Amino acid sequence: RLVCAKHAANGMGWLTDHGLNLHGSRTKDFNNPHMIGRGPTLAGFRNYALNNLGLLLPSTKQQRQQLTKPYQVTFSILSSKDNDRRFDFKAQVNALKKALHNDALVRIESIAMWNYTFREQVEIATQSSIFVSVGGGGTSPAFFLPKGASLIVYGRDGERFDWDLWGNFASLRV
């Protein structure tokens, strides 16, 4: 098998968050889902990318990575270039910390992912049990969450950015 650029971007033509639709900001965008039944392919692509980065442990090759303690809740902050979708999640982080009373089994991180390399973002995601982000490109690291992790996607009222992709990513709780 020929591989001319082992670390180059690799993709699938149908892998997009919206297909023929816009990003999920219009009601009619929800009439034409195109990711239904593609969960196994998405998981396979995830594992392929992790393997190429050298981040896939032998025990996870079958998507069996377990969530580990302390559980990490990652808030992806300031992830959009659009001011009305540029959340810092301070209120949510503070409320969670207050509710958990510094529980030793949970680590809460607020991370501006754009400050990190792609590989570092992937590593952060693989260590996260819960990933909180604004819908859009800033949610991309969630592709590498461990099986059984939860993804919480925020957006403006009525928006469901990337709804079709994340709603059919079977290994995550969205």
Side-chain angles (χ1 to χ4, degrees):
R1 165 164 99 174
L2 297 175
V3 177
C4 60
K6 182 178 179 184
H7 300 289
N10 181 6
M12 299 172 278
W14 56 262
L15 179 56
T16 175
D17 58 351
H18 49 84
L20 301 174
N21 305 312
L22 289 179
H23 283 284
S25 54
R26 303 175 311 172
T27 303
K28 72 179 189 175
D29 290 344
F30 312 117
N31 295 335
N32 197 16
H34 65 284
M35 299 299 282
I36 294 174
R38 293 193 170 152
T41 304
L42 293 169
F45 182 71
R46 170 205 180 266
N47 290 346
Y48 175 83
L50 283 173
N51 191 50
N52 271 352
L53 289 168
L55 297 174
L56 191 63
L57 303 173
S59 64
T60 63
K61 288 200 186 236
Q62 317 251 317
Q63 185 78 350
R64 292 198 166 111
Q65 185 174 359
Q66 298 296 313
L67 302 176
T68 58
K69 298 176 186 175
Y71 299 112
Q72 180 168 314
V73 180
T74 302
F75 285 86
S76 177
I77 62 170
L78 308 173
S79 63
S80 178
K81 65 179 174 24
D82 300 326
N83 286 332
D84 60 345
R85 292 191 308 127
R86 199 166 166 79
F87 292 17
D88 62 13
F89 292 112
K90 284 182 183 175
Q92 292 83 355
V93 169
N94 291 335
L96 186 58
K97 286 180 178 179
K98 182 178 179 182
L100 294 175
H101 306 288
N102 296 320
D103 188 328
L105 294 177
V106 180
R107 182 177 57 241
I108 301 168
E109 303 280 344
S110 295
I111 300 174
M113 298 296 255
W114 46 268
N115 285 324
Y116 295 86
T117 66
F118 174 71
R119 181 186 178 89
E120 291 168 333
Q121 290 181 36
V122 170
E123 289 173 343
I124 291 166
T126 62
Q127 297 165 9
S128 299
S129 300
I130 300 173
F131 192 84
V132 183
S133 181
V134 173
T139 309
S140 299
F143 210 93
F144 301 99
L145 290 169
K147 183 176 183 178
S150 295
L151 171 62
I152 300 171
V153 183
Y154 278 78
R156 294 178 292 208
D157 288 339
E159 287 183 337
R160 292 190 249 166
F161 286 122
D162 310 327
W163 67 278
D164 195 23
L165 173 65
W166 299 119
N168 288 288
F169 205 110
S171 66
L172 299 179
R173 293 179 174 103
V174 180

